[in-house]
Amino acid sequence: MSFETERLIIRPWTAADAESLYEYAKDPLVGPIAGWPPHTSVENSREVIKAVLSAEGTYAVCLKEDNIAIGSIGLIPPAQSHTDISDSELELGFWIGVPFWGRGLIPEAVRKIQEYAFNELGCTALWCGYYDGNIKSKRVQEKCGFTFHHTEEDVPCELMGDVRTEHFTRLTKEEWLAL
């Protein structure tokens, strides 16, 4: 399944995306704040596509003009969520390469995935999390209607080998319809 917005194509990841994934995921400003280490090679990115980004509900965020992956967005099922959510709820995760920060592209992608989750999947609420200090992620969530729900302290961040504070925001279908 793929989606289109005014400026974006949101589509499944493919092995052919490994080079563009590496280009943006190698930047230390992107992964560590989101809880994963910078990519070390195109091969590393290819493995991440196979092991992580090929999961159902995970999509490459691409500019319409060239369909090259510049970020990622995905819906996380309750069993894999970073917090305790009900079976009718999903968690939303996202990131975008540094050259595309501040252009409103991720909020555009988030709004499209919100529409899909609420209208097509029957989701009753969406959750997002961000680690302490990830102000850009917090701002995207606020722009897209999410409001603060709770904070969890001493959360293990396994891929980074540390412990963090994670803040969670939530948006119900009713709140989304009122936006």
Side-chain angles (χ1 to χ4, degrees):
M1 176 166 298
S2 296
F3 310 92
E4 284 194 23
T5 69
E6 181 183 335
R7 300 179 291 170
L8 302 171
I9 295 170
I10 303 166
R11 59 162 175 79
W13 285 90
T14 69
D17 294 319
E19 285 188 33
S20 61
L21 174 59
Y22 175 62
E23 177 64 28
Y24 302 114
K26 70 182 178 184
D27 192 315
L29 294 174
V30 177
I33 194 82
W36 45 271
H39 290 201
T40 56
S41 66
V42 172
E43 183 56 36
N44 175 221
S45 292
R46 191 172 288 112
E47 289 302 315
V48 170
I49 290 169
K50 269 193 243 176
V52 179
L53 300 177
S54 63
E56 186 178 340
T58 303
Y59 305 96
V61 175
C62 310
L63 292 176
K64 255 187 186 173
E65 61 204 46
D66 58 17
N67 198 23
I68 293 174
I70 60 169
S72 187
I73 192 164
L75 293 167
I76 303 162
Q80 296 169 355
S81 175
H82 295 111
T83 193
D84 194 22
I85 65 176
S86 80
D87 288 342
S88 65
E89 300 173 336
L90 295 166
E91 186 176 339
L92 179 65
F94 52 81
W95 66 267
I96 195 164
V98 173
F100 306 96
W101 287 4
R103 293 172 49 184
L105 295 168
I106 280 295
E108 188 173 319
V110 167
R111 288 183 188 104
K112 188 64 174 180
I113 297 301
Q114 286 173 326
E115 179 184 324
Y116 170 66
F118 288 128
N119 288 340
E120 303 299 321
L121 299 179
C123 185
T124 59
L126 286 170
W127 292 81
C128 276
Y130 63 92
Y131 292 118
D132 242 6
N134 193 344
I135 301 304
K136 292 185 184 317
S137 184
K138 177 185 179 187
R139 282 198 356 240
V140 167
Q141 293 171 39
E142 291 170 347
K143 284 179 188 175
C144 295
F146 290 85
T147 56
F148 176 78
H149 188 272
H150 71 280
T151 295
E152 295 180 16
E153 304 280 344
D154 302 319
V155 176
C157 183
E158 293 176 22
L159 294 176
M160 293 302 292
D162 59 19
V163 175
R164 301 183 180 194
T165 298
E166 189 167 9
H167 308 282
F168 289 91
T169 61
R170 183 173 182 238
L171 177 68
T172 65
K173 184 173 184 178
E174 292 75 25
E175 292 165 338
W176 175 75
L177 287 169
L179 290 177

